[in-house]
Amino acid sequence: MGRRLTARLRALGVDVAGFSRSTGGDLLTGELPLEGAGHVFHLGALSFVPDSWNDPATYHLVNTHGTVRVLDQCRRTGVPVTFISTFVYGAGAPVPVPEDFPPNPANPYAWSKLAAEDACRFFAKTFGMDVTVLRLFNAFGPGQKDSFLIPTIARQAVDPSVKEIVVADLAPRRDFVHVDDVVGAMISTIGMPGGGTFNVGSGKSHSVGDVIAACLKAAGTDKPYSDRGERRENEVMDVVADISTLTAATGWRPQVEFENGMKSVIEALAPC
């Protein structure tokens, strides 16, 4: 996501200074390259939900304390921040869910992000910083790590040695939002004053079964698929973002339809 954000900003004529593990950056010890900066997009985090159950303390340290360090450096230099959060509402959330519905994180990753959100709102209120929180629903697209659901399914769809696609559970529905739409939402927050919190999604939900069917269609193949009937702890069965608040504030709207988004994932896996 960071690479696509950087590419979009540079295409708009914006100078970009990156800070990531790939360039030697460390949220817990490093100093951000803020000289001359006009805006900071804070995407850095540990984000794989299954791993968060095994090590919640490290997720909290990196995602929460790391965010406090980013905020404090930006406070001292007067640079506005857009913080990338996640779905923090949990089971029982209405469909679609608005930003003012009470949070109830369903896993340690979401809990660490909610704690970081609280830090964002504290810095905005107490220090008068311009800090915008974007709650991403299920972002996907080319370049996503192989361990995530959609890349896992897509690789099985294009692999001729895989005769049947098997997943844990076909039923859960998620609001899948394409990375290019997420980038558009982030860019829309440049110049936004105050400390707002906004959902970022497609405004629709699709099941895991829908994802498989769309990937198979994009790959031009047909394979059987099934699930093992395994339901995750604290599973949320249907998720849809109410995106009206961000649309009203910035005019942003998602542009990439679900099947076109899956096609972009499949095309990125094609051999050169």
Side-chain angles (χ1 to χ4, degrees), residues 27-120:
L27 283 175
L28 300 179
T29 60
E31 293 294 316
L32 301 176
L34 293 177
E35 184 176 355
H39 197 97
V40 165
F41 294 97
H42 175 30
L43 289 73
L46 296 176
S47 59
F48 191 50
V49 171
D51 286 350
S52 74
W53 287 104
N54 299 323
D55 197 0
T58 297
Y59 270 66
H60 183 270
L61 179 64
V62 174
N63 295 350
T64 307
H65 181 63
T67 298
V68 171
R69 292 194 73 251
V70 170
L71 291 167
D72 195 44
Q73 291 176 65
C74 291
R75 172 190 66 82
R76 288 186 267 114
T77 52
V79 180
V81 178
T82 298
F83 171 66
I84 306 306
S85 187
T86 191
F87 179 84
V88 296
Y89 303 103
V95 177
V97 58
E99 292 89 349
D100 58 3
F101 187 79
N104 183 24
N107 54 70
Y109 164 64
W111 167 67
S112 71
K113 282 291 197 173
L114 182 61
E117 282 191 18
D118 287 339
C120 290

Side-chain angles (χ1 to χ4, degrees), residues 109-181:
Y109 164 64
W111 167 67
S112 71
K113 282 291 197 173
L114 182 61
E117 282 191 18
D118 287 339
C120 290
R121 287 185 278 271
F122 177 84
F123 272 74
K125 179 179 179 181
T126 306
F127 298 112
M129 287 181 63
D130 293 330
V131 184
T132 302
V133 173
L134 296 183
R135 289 176 173 168
L136 271 56
F137 281 55
N138 285 72
F140 76 99
Q144 191 173 30
K145 291 181 180 177
D146 290 349
S147 54
F148 285 83
L149 174 69
I150 290 176
T152 299
I153 291 172
R155 290 188 180 280
Q156 293 182 77
V158 301
D159 186 345
S161 70
V162 175
K163 303 306 180 185
E164 179 182 6
I165 299 175
V166 180
V167 295
D169 190 355
L170 290 167
R173 302 181 64 87
R174 294 290 181 266
D175 186 327
F176 295 105
V177 57
H178 194 269
V179 62
D180 289 342
D181 284 330

Side-chain angles (χ1 to χ4, degrees), residues 169-174 176 206-209 231 235-238:
D169 190 355
L170 290 167
R173 302 181 64 87
R174 294 290 181 266
F176 295 105
H206 293 86
S207 70
V208 175
R231 186 143 297 171
E235 182 66 274
V236 181
M237 294 308 297
D238 196 6

